[in-house]
Amino acid sequence: MIRATATLAAAALMLSLPTAASAAPAAVAPSAVTVSAPAVASATSARPQGSYGVKVVSVTDGDTIRVRVKGRSTPVRLIGLNAPETNPRQCYGTQATSRMKQLTKGGTVYIKADGSQGNKDKYGRLLRHVYTPGGTSLALKMIEGGYAREYTYNRKYAGQYSHRLAQSRAKSAKRGLWRSCVSTRSRRRSAPAARSRATSAAAASGSTTCPGSASTT
């Protein structure tokens, strides 16, 4: 009886112990790791939506170029920009024209209409924003360098704030025309005042001599 009881206890003990198969932790299959390929910037990703490429035919001056649209040479006036003229010659007009030629020397630009502006100006030129193939605004580059001024005709246009901020910085730094042309205008304005002071001084001393005339004393 005692032997039978011991046998039954041993059997119960063996059943309560975990088997080697159940004691071992289940192997976890490694999950597949997905590695994303690095994003590659598209060659056209920087270009403003709605713009399209055209070939540059020539540069008229710092704010006007000619491009080929549907096989025809077409003048384009850049929106938000006013550069000095070359005909008649104005201060910094030559430098502005040269800079525009540098910016368009690649031969291709991208143009985009602005719904806030008309399609053409009174001279028949297309009114467009103009960009390099990399998406750089030509008008903004001209203003940043002090080659031209910001220009708003009638209504606000896309990018006006950036243009005005760039002009403020160029003016503060006295870049380009903000150094050369402002000083020229200042000299021209000061010349009449200087002549007036000289005439007043001469009158006070009793002299009647006038610039360009013989003395009457």
Side-chain angles (χ1 to χ4, degrees), residues 107-145:
T108 299
V109 295
Y110 284 74
I111 62 176
K112 181 181 179 181
D114 189 323
S116 69
Q117 310 297 304
N119 184 52
K120 294 183 178 181
D121 66 6
K122 63 182 181 180
Y123 302 108
R125 300 175 295 188
L126 289 178
L127 294 173
R128 296 290 187 271
H129 294 290
V130 183
Y131 306 90
T132 66
T136 300
S137 165
L138 298 191
L140 191 59
K141 292 294 289 184
M142 292 291 289
I143 296 170
E144 285 177 342

Side-chain angles (χ1 to χ4, degrees), residues 2 16 26 54 71-72 80 82 87 96 101 118 128 132 153 181 200 211 214:
I2 295 172
S16 66
V54 291
R72 299 182 60 183
N82 187 30
N87 186 24
K101 288 179 179 179
R128 296 290 187 271
T132 66
Y153 178 75
C181 302
S200 298

Side-chain angles (χ1 to χ4, degrees), residues 128-171:
R128 296 290 187 271
H129 294 290
V130 183
Y131 306 90
T132 66
T136 300
S137 165
L138 298 191
L140 191 59
K141 292 294 289 184
M142 292 291 289
I143 296 170
E144 285 177 342
Y147 293 95
R149 296 177 175 84
E150 184 277 334
Y151 178 69
T152 299
Y153 178 75
N154 195 20
R155 287 183 293 175
K156 180 180 178 180
Y157 56 89
Q160 183 194 64
Y161 176 79
S162 297
H163 285 196
R164 290 184 171 180
L165 181 60
Q167 175 169 286
S168 178
R169 290 173 175 171
K171 191 174 183 179

Side-chain angles (χ1 to χ4, degrees), residues 2 6 17 28 42 48 54 73 84 94 100 122 147 149-150 157 182 185 188 196 200 202:
I2 295 172
L17 293 174
V28 178
S42 169
V54 291
S73 175
T94 300
M100 182 57 74
K122 63 182 181 180
Y147 293 95
R149 296 177 175 84
E150 184 277 334
Y157 56 89
V182 171
R185 288 200 300 271
R188 288 175 179 172
S196 178
S200 298

Side-chain angles (χ1 to χ4, degrees):
M1 183 66 180
I2 295 172
R3 185 179 298 173
T5 302
T7 302
L8 290 173
L13 178 62
M14 292 296 294
L15 290 172
S16 66
L17 293 174
T19 62
S22 63
V28 178
S31 59
V33 178
T34 303
V35 179
S36 300
V40 178
S42 169
T44 60
S45 61
R47 297 172 194 156
Q49 187 176 5
S51 64
Y52 59 93
V54 291
K55 290 292 184 182
V56 177
V57 176
S58 63
V59 172
T60 304
D61 54 31
D63 57 35
T64 304
I65 61 176
R66 296 190 74 90
V67 302
R68 194 165 298 285
V69 178
K70 297 180 180 179
R72 299 182 60 183
S73 175
T74 306
V76 175
R77 170 66 188 264
L78 278 69
I79 294 172
L81 185 69
N82 187 30
E85 303 291 337
T86 54
N87 186 24
R89 189 182 221 175
Q90 294 179 338
C91 179
Y92 231 70
T94 300
Q95 292 91 328
T97 303
S98 296
R99 179 56 174 157
M100 182 57 74
K101 288 179 179 179
Q102 290 175 355
L103 293 173
T104 58
K105 67 181 179 181
T108 299
V109 295
Y110 284 74
I111 62 176
K112 181 181 179 181
D114 189 323
S116 69
Q117 310 297 304
N119 184 52
K120 294 183 178 181
D121 66 6
K122 63 182 181 180
Y123 302 108
R125 300 175 295 188
L126 289 178
L127 294 173
R128 296 290 187 271
H129 294 290
V130 183
Y131 306 90
T132 66
T136 300
S137 165
L138 298 191
L140 191 59
K141 292 294 289 184
M142 292 291 289
I143 296 170
E144 285 177 342
Y147 293 95
R149 296 177 175 84
E150 184 277 334
Y151 178 69
T152 299
Y153 178 75
N154 195 20
R155 287 183 293 175
K156 180 180 178 180
Y157 56 89
Q160 183 194 64
Y161 176 79
S162 297
H163 285 196
R164 290 184 171 180
L165 181 60
Q167 175 169 286
S168 178
R169 290 173 175 171
K171 191 174 183 179
S172 296
K174 291 183 170 55
R175 298 191 196 113
L177 60 81
W178 298 110
R179 175 182 294 276
S180 301
C181 302
V182 171
S183 60
T184 300
R185 288 200 300 271
S186 297
R187 288 195 297 269
R188 288 175 179 172
R189 284 197 300 266
S190 64
R195 286 196 296 269
S196 178
R197 287 193 298 271
T199 301
S200 298
S205 66
S207 172
T208 58
T209 303
C210 296
S213 65
S215 174
T216 57
T217 56

